[in-house]
């Protein structure tokens, strides 16, 4: 499509092909508030319909006339008549031959900025607590005024280091029984009893930094390096060259230099490091930029004797013995300039898993195997670091799962890890929703009145209660079916009641509210005459009811009610679900295939699913008309399956045969403007999930598969995201790589789900994503993968996986129900199995 055509399509505006009330699909920026009169009588709570018998896996529900739609004649070049017998529904894919095992993996945990002591920032270094030092938790934090030592009753810190009037320290390292601190011309040694000794450098010598290598502490200066212990005088170097990094391998000291070279020196006792015995440079693959870190004997991305971190990038060396040549370069694509994620390095250290970590002025990064081979893993603000200005780091390469500690301008950043299964990871997800996100059974994000502090949580009424609660309803349904956990069934029952109430509270039999707020005892952030949309008071006066419902709520209700009906509802609940869907879809039919607002009795802003919108309106014909056709056909299909009422089969026949809805649905991703909307991707996945699960006509199912395959190929496949991969697999795609498209995503989902502000656009390993994704602010890694979920902002399934920057300022906690759904539905259908 040409640029002019895109401009014309985009000029349509949001009225046609955007969802969720025309917004981005998030709960931010809720607008169009008006004062409206109260609705009168609440009316009949619902129409009773006969409920078919319980279907089992692969069985047809009861004695419904499943063949009616399949036997309909075709017109206008739409669907051809089926020669084959009707399909048995619900559709079940063949059992997987090789389900993925939920094996333990390394899960990293962030620690929030609320844990940072404001008196301890900025930090210049963080060091391991040496043996013999006073018992305490964690490492020692070093500020410009020295080691943070102890606090008095009022919370004031005592620092061990420079005296008043002396220069600030700029580096620190742990030694054997002491901590070394360095100012430009002074070395301080802090002993376990708090004693501080001070050594002045000779005139003209400047201390550049400190390194701890095992039990050895190296002092680097502008004229060479020396080794220090706790009590002996410092033997200052003379006549050498500036040393910017140091490590020790066997009996040799390796020093990095400002010109990018590395020199080898014999290991002395407590004397200064002597003259070099060999020099490594450009011919060895080193880069002509200041060396800031030397890491010995790594095994990731491969076995490398020496990793050289410099301002020019990363280089690796194999060290050779004898023969004159002492090294040869290691070639690895991960060391390429467009693969190393961050520049401006400052320090490096080996990690417990054989990889290494690099601190930079713009964040930190690590060579790590996250289950799919070696890759770079980035730690950024705000989820992982209080500030991306990282001055130093500390970890213990000899201890399994050793924490990472980052000294930043904003305080101490801490990353811990443990081996868990996804099932274990998700236990706190359930607790989070039950404790902080359940609002009379509805589930949505919550507000945090203090940034990043979940104890300051206030529940939030959502613009799309049905959409977001659907994930929770279905996940707890699946968890109950898999585990038999009665808590999950109780959650399912409570949320099902809430979702059914969204219809009965409206005072109609055919309308569903976007959201409701209980007036008495309201503890939400918006209790008094809410003004973030179009509201009215329920007939009993007890509820604020949000109207102007969108087509996204329609697709949420049809999908979640169908799954609830199929798997978890008892006989009474089935009766109520069938009545709910019969009322809702019956109202859509009766109002000309539109969703009408019960106050204005006119179509809602995004409630058009009628033939004129789908086939004639520019917003439908070029935007989301095909998607809305799929949504409506899915709702009619599921409702007919639940009720057996021919009204819904006849409406489906009318739309397909006389109005081309199968054509529109099958080609929905080909509508010129449709691919631009990630919001519609989410709705599309639910519409196709419903159609492919409950369609009885084999010819139609083939067409739905083509339509869904188009969406998958154009928008979803390359994003490697959980729900889309799962939905694709469950529709019958036997070629799905669930380890990439589902399990990896589940591993990388952030644990805390706080909507931190995140920053990735500065990364060197990120390139701009192309249309149909948004190139403005969207990007992917140069290896073709999205930036991992735990390295970018927290979003729902209505946002693509390429958003590089943004967040909600850590004032919102996402519920995470969509994560639970991905895992427990995969377990329900046998795609994931427990390890044991």
């Amino acid at each position: 499509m040409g640029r002019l055509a895109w401009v014309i399509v985009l000029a349509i505006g949001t009225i046609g092909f955007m969802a969720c009330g025309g917004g981005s699909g998030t709960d931010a920026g809720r607008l169009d508030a008006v004062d409206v009169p109260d609705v009168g009588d609440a009316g009949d709570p619902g129409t009773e319909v006969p409920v078919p018998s319980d279907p089992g896996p692969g069985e047809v529900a009861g004695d419904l006339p499943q063949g009616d739609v399949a036997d309909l004649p075709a017109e206008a070049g739409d669907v051809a008549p089926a020669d084959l017998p009707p399909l048995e529904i619900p559709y079940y894919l063949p059992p997987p031959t090789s389900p993925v095992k939920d094996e333990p993996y390394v899960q990293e945990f962030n620690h929030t900025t609320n844990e940072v002591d404001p008196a301890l920032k900025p930090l210049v270094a963080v060091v391991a607590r040496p043996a013999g030092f006073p018992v305490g938790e964690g490492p020692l934090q070093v500020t410009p005024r020295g080691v943070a030592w102890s606090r008095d009753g009022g919370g004031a810190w005592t620092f061990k280091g420079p005296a008043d009037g002396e220069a600030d320290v700029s580096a620190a390292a742990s030694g054997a029984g002491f901590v070394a601190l360095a100012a430009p011309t002074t070395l301080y040694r802090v002993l376990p009893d708090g004693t501080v000794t001070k050594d002045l450098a000779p005139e003209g010598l400047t201390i550049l930094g400190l390194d701890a290598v095992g039990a050895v502490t190296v002092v680097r200066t502008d004229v060479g390096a020396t080794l220090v212990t706790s009590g002996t005088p410092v033997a200052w170097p003379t006549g050498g060259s500036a040393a910017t990094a140091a490590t020790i391998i066997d009996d040799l000291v390796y020093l990095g230099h400002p010109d990018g070279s590395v020199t080898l020196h014999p290991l002395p006792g407590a004397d200064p490091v002597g003259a070099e015995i060999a020099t490594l440079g450009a011919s060895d693959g080193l880069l002509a930029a200041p060396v800031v870190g030397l890491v010995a004997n790594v095994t990731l991305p491969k076995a490398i004797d020496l990793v050289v971190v410099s301002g020019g990038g990363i280089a690796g060396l194999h060290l050779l013995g004898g023969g004159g040549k002492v090294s040869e370069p290691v070639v690895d694509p991960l060391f390429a300039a467009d693969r190393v994620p961050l520049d401006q390095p400052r320090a490096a250290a080996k990690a417990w898993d054989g990889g290494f970590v690099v601190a930079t002025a713009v964040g930190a990064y690590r060579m790590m195997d996250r289950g799919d081979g070696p890759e770079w893993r980035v730690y950024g603000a705000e989820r992982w670091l209080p500030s991306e200005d990282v001055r130093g780091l500390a970890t213990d390469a000899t201890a399994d799962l050793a924490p990472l500690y980052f000294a930043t301008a904003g305080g101490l950043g801490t990353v811990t890890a443990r081996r868990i299964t996804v099932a274990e990871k998700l236990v706190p997800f359930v607790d989070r929703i039950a404790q902080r996100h359940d609002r009379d059974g509805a589930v949505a994000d919550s507000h945090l009145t203090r940034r990043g502090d979940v104890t300051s949580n206030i529940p939030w009424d959502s613009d799309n209660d049905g959409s977001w609660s659907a994930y929770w309803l279905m996940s707890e349904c699946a968890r109950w079916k898999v585990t038999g956990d009665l808590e999950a069934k109780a959650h399912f029952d409570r949320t099902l009641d809430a979702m059914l109430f969204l219809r009965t509270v409206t005072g109609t039999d055919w309308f569903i509210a976007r959201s409701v707020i209980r007036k008495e005892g309201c503890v939400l952030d918006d209790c008094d005459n809410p003004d973030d949309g179009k509201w009215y008071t329920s007939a009993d006066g007890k509820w604020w009811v949000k109207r102007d419902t969108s087509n996204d709520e329609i697709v949420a209700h049809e999908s979640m009610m169908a799954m609830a009906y199929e798997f978890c509802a008892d006989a009474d609940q089935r009766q109520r679900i069938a009545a709910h869907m019969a009322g809702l879809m019956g109202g859509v039919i009766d109002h000309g295939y539109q969703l009408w607002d019960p106050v204005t009795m006119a179509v809602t802003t995004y409630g058009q699913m009628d033939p004129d919108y789908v086939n004639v309106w520019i917003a439908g014909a070029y935007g989301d008309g095909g998607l809305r056709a799929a949504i409506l056909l899915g709702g009619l299909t599921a409702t007919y399956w639940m009720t057996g009422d021919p009204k819904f089969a006849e409406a489906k026949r009318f739309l397909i045969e006389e109005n081309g809805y199968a054509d529109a649905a099958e080609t929905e991703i080909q509508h010129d403007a449709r691919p631009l909307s990630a919001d519609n991707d989410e709705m599309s996945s639910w519409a196709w999930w419903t159609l492919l699960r409950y369609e009885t006509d084999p010819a139609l199912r083939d067409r739905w598969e083509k339509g869904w395959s188009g969406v998958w190929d154009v928008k979803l496949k390359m994003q490697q995201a959980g729900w889309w991969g799962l939905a694709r697999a469950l529709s019958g795609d036997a070629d799905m790589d669930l380890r990439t498209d589902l399990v990896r995503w589940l591993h990388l989902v952030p644990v805390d789900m706080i909507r931190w502000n995140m920053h990735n656009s500065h990364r060197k390993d990120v390139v701009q994503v192309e249309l149909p994704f948004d190139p403005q602010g969207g990007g992917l890694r140069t290896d073709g993968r999205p930036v991992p979920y735990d390295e970018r902002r927290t979003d729902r399934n209505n946002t693509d996986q390429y958003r590089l920057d943004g967040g909600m300022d850590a004032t919102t906690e996402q519920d995470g129900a969509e994560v639970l759904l991905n895992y427990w539905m995969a377990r329900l259908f046998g795609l994931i199995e427990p390890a044991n």
Side-chain angles (χ1 to χ4, degrees):
M1 174 181 261
R3 179 179 297 274
L4 178 60
W6 278 117
V7 171
I8 292 172
V9 170
L10 290 172
I12 295 170
T14 59
I15 61 169
F17 49 86
M18 292 296 287
C20 300
S24 65
T26 69
D27 290 316
R30 297 171 291 179
L31 303 175
D32 71 0
V34 295
D35 292 327
V36 296
D38 290 353
V39 162
D41 186 13
D44 189 338
T47 303
E48 291 193 359
V49 294
V51 180
S53 59
D54 291 357
E59 297 177 359
V60 177
D63 298 319
L64 301 186
Q66 300 292 336
D68 287 5
V69 177
D71 296 334
L72 297 175
E75 295 180 12
D78 212 330
V79 63
D83 250 352
L84 301 173
L87 299 171
E88 288 192 351
I89 58 169
Y91 168 81
Y92 273 84
L93 76 167
T97 56
S98 300
V100 180
K101 296 291 186 180
D102 184 12
E103 303 279 2
Y105 68 99
V106 175
Q107 175 66 57
E108 292 184 295
F109 296 84
N110 62 317
H111 294 259
T112 73
T113 52
N114 300 92
E115 299 172 6
V116 172
D117 189 327
L120 298 182
K121 62 180 183 180
L123 294 178
V124 298
V126 55
V127 299
R129 188 180 296 269
F133 268 57
V135 175
E137 292 184 2
L140 294 172
Q141 301 179 58
V142 182
T143 76
R145 302 313 300 162
V147 177
W149 192 257
S150 61
R151 306 182 74 166
D152 61 25
W157 278 96
T158 297
F159 297 93
K160 298 295 183 178
D164 291 344
E166 294 180 342
D168 287 345
V169 301
S170 57
S174 292
F178 71 103
V179 172
L181 308 175
T185 61
T186 309
L187 177 71
Y188 301 90
R189 283 172 283 186
V190 182
L191 302 180
D193 63 359
T195 301
V196 179
T197 63
K198 179 172 66 174
D199 291 271
L200 295 177
E203 185 174 351
L205 181 148
T206 300
I207 301 174
L208 301 181
L210 302 166
D211 291 290
V213 186
V216 178
T217 301
V218 182
V219 181
R220 294 182 281 103
T221 79
D222 60 347
V223 291
T226 189
L227 310 184
V228 295
T229 60
S230 62
T232 58
V234 178
W236 297 100
T238 59
S241 58
T244 54
T247 192
I248 299 172
I249 304 175
D250 298 329
D251 57 352
L252 294 177
V253 178
Y254 291 71
L255 297 180
H257 303 284
D259 63 355
S261 67
V262 174
T263 55
L264 284 65
H265 307 257
L267 180 65
D271 299 326
V273 172
E276 65 267 19
I277 58 175
T279 300
L280 309 177
S283 62
D284 300 280
L286 301 186
L287 306 167
V291 177
V292 300
L294 298 172
V295 186
N297 301 318
V298 305
T299 56
L300 291 174
K302 59 182 64 172
I304 303 175
D305 296 328
L306 182 65
V307 171
V308 181
V309 181
S310 74
I314 306 287
L317 299 174
H318 285 316
L319 302 178
L320 307 175
K325 184 174 176 59
V326 296
S327 75
E328 63 182 18
V330 174
V331 177
D332 194 286
L334 287 164
F335 292 172
D338 67 344
R339 296 291 292 279
V340 178
L342 302 174
D343 56 13
Q344 304 180 61
R346 287 174 168 165
K350 187 177 178 180
W352 64 268
D353 58 357
F356 57 98
V357 191
V358 180
T360 83
V362 289
Y365 62 96
R366 175 181 183 180
M367 175 54 61
M368 188 178 187
D369 187 339
R370 310 191 80 184
D372 295 290
E375 62 181 298
W376 293 114
R377 188 262 191 274
V378 174
Y379 302 97
E382 298 179 299
R383 179 175 296 122
W384 299 102
L385 301 173
S387 166
E388 288 180 345
D389 181 356
V390 186
R391 283 88 180 278
L393 63 97
T395 190
D396 182 355
T398 67
D400 186 45
L401 300 175
L404 303 178
Y405 299 106
F406 298 102
T408 82
L412 181 66
T414 303
V415 179
T416 58
R418 59 189 176 97
R419 290 183 182 86
I420 57 175
T421 63
V422 176
E424 291 169 331
K425 173 180 181 173
L426 296 185
V427 171
F429 279 63
V430 173
D431 295 339
R432 170 171 56 233
I433 292 174
Q435 293 168 11
R436 296 193 294 275
H437 294 266
D438 184 308
R439 196 184 70 257
D440 290 304
V443 167
D445 287 359
S446 65
H447 280 173
L448 305 178
T449 60
R450 291 185 298 278
R451 297 183 78 258
D453 184 355
V454 297
T455 66
S456 69
N457 149 266
I458 297 178
W460 189 3
D461 66 278
S462 166
D463 199 46
N464 299 97
D465 268 359
S467 295
W468 310 142
S469 301
Y471 289 97
W472 174 242
L473 178 82
M474 290 187 279
S475 67
E476 288 299 83
C477 170
R479 186 164 74 94
W480 175 58
K481 294 297 289 184
V482 170
T483 67
D485 190 330
L486 295 180
E487 176 195 58
K489 181 59 163 66
H491 291 158
F492 166 82
D493 291 343
R494 177 176 170 83
T495 298
L496 178 61
D497 287 345
M499 295 299 95
L500 296 173
F501 183 65
L502 289 178
R503 181 178 65 97
T504 59
V505 73
T506 64
T508 76
D509 187 42
W510 42 265
F511 190 75
I512 50 173
R514 279 185 174 277
S515 180
V516 294
I517 297 177
R518 181 190 296 275
K519 289 189 173 185
E520 184 178 350
C522 177
V523 294
L524 308 185
D525 63 338
D526 194 3
C527 292
D528 184 15
N529 195 14
D531 59 0
D532 59 344
K534 299 177 180 180
W535 296 81
Y536 64 92
T537 301
S538 62
D540 60 11
K542 295 180 179 180
W543 300 87
W544 290 109
V545 180
K546 194 167 193 176
R547 55 190 183 87
D548 200 30
T549 299
S550 300
N551 55 80
D552 55 346
E553 294 294 285
I554 297 290
V555 74
H557 278 260
E558 70 186 46
S559 302
M560 70 171 148
M561 292 301 171
M563 182 172 177
Y565 185 96
E566 178 183 349
F567 286 103
C568 296
D570 60 27
D572 176 69
Q573 288 170 328
R574 282 191 162 196
Q575 179 74 50
R576 294 166 62 205
I577 289 170
H580 178 83
M581 290 304 300
L584 173 59
M585 299 311 299
V588 169
I589 295 170
D590 295 344
H591 295 132
Y593 301 99
Q594 296 179 337
L595 184 64
W596 281 15
D597 189 300
V599 172
T600 64
M601 291 304 291
V603 64
T604 63
T605 306
Y606 299 92
Q608 307 92 345
M609 292 172 281
D610 54 282
D612 275 352
Y613 180 86
V614 169
N615 297 314
V616 179
W617 283 30
I618 189 171
Y622 289 92
D624 70 342
L627 171 59
R628 297 198 192 189
I631 290 172
L632 181 52
L633 292 176
L636 294 171
T637 300
T639 305
Y640 177 62
W641 169 67
M642 285 186 269
T643 66
D645 188 335
K647 173 180 182 176
F648 304 107
E650 171 56 27
K652 182 177 177 181
R653 184 209 63 79
F654 168 75
L655 294 173
I656 289 176
E657 294 189 5
E658 300 183 32
N659 293 280
Y661 269 45
D663 284 336
E666 182 183 346
T667 61
E668 64 109 339
I669 195 64
Q670 300 173 33
H671 288 50
D672 290 335
R674 157 64 182 93
L676 297 178
S677 172
D679 213 12
N680 288 343
D681 295 341
E682 179 187 41
M683 291 191 287
S684 178
S685 65
W686 282 119
W688 292 121
W689 156 265
T690 306
L691 278 170
L692 288 166
R693 189 151 186 78
Y694 303 108
E695 179 57 69
T696 60
D697 185 327
L700 283 177
R701 194 180 194 283
D702 285 347
R703 301 193 69 177
W704 307 153
E705 171 58 31
K706 291 177 183 176
W708 175 222
S709 294
V711 178
W712 174 256
D713 290 341
V714 171
K715 286 300 295 291
L716 305 184
K717 177 168 59 177
M718 65 185 290
Q719 297 184 63
Q720 301 175 6
W723 162 242
W724 294 322
L726 176 63
R728 182 66 179 161
L730 292 179
S731 69
D733 186 344
D735 298 325
M736 284 298 303
D737 179 5
L738 288 176
R739 291 189 182 277
T740 295
D741 293 285
L742 176 60
V743 176
R744 175 178 166 87
W745 186 89
L746 287 168
H747 287 177
L748 299 180
V749 165
V751 173
D752 69 359
M753 300 301 288
I754 293 172
R755 288 185 151 179
W756 300 102
N757 292 337
M758 297 296 288
H759 178 218
N760 287 287
S761 56
H762 66 307
R763 289 171 56 160
K764 295 163 52 184
D765 67 334
V766 166
V767 294
Q768 188 179 63
V769 73
E770 297 179 355
L771 289 170
F773 303 98
D774 180 10
Q776 303 303 314
L780 68 159
R781 293 194 317 198
T782 50
D783 63 359
R785 278 189 155 170
V787 171
Y789 193 178
D790 57 1
E791 297 176 20
R792 53 185 162 85
R793 70 187 201 179
T794 305
D795 277 317
R796 296 184 181 276
N797 292 326
N798 63 335
T799 305
D800 69 50
Q801 305 291 293
Y802 299 118
R803 303 297 86 206
L804 295 176
D805 299 340
M808 289 191 175
D809 202 31
T811 60
T812 305
E813 182 187 48
Q814 194 170 304
D815 54 78
E818 73 281 1
V819 185
L820 293 165
L821 174 71
N822 287 323
Y823 178 75
W824 288 110
M825 190 179 284
R827 286 283 305 275
L828 177 65
F829 285 90
L831 302 180
I832 295 178
E833 292 183 345
N836 297 325

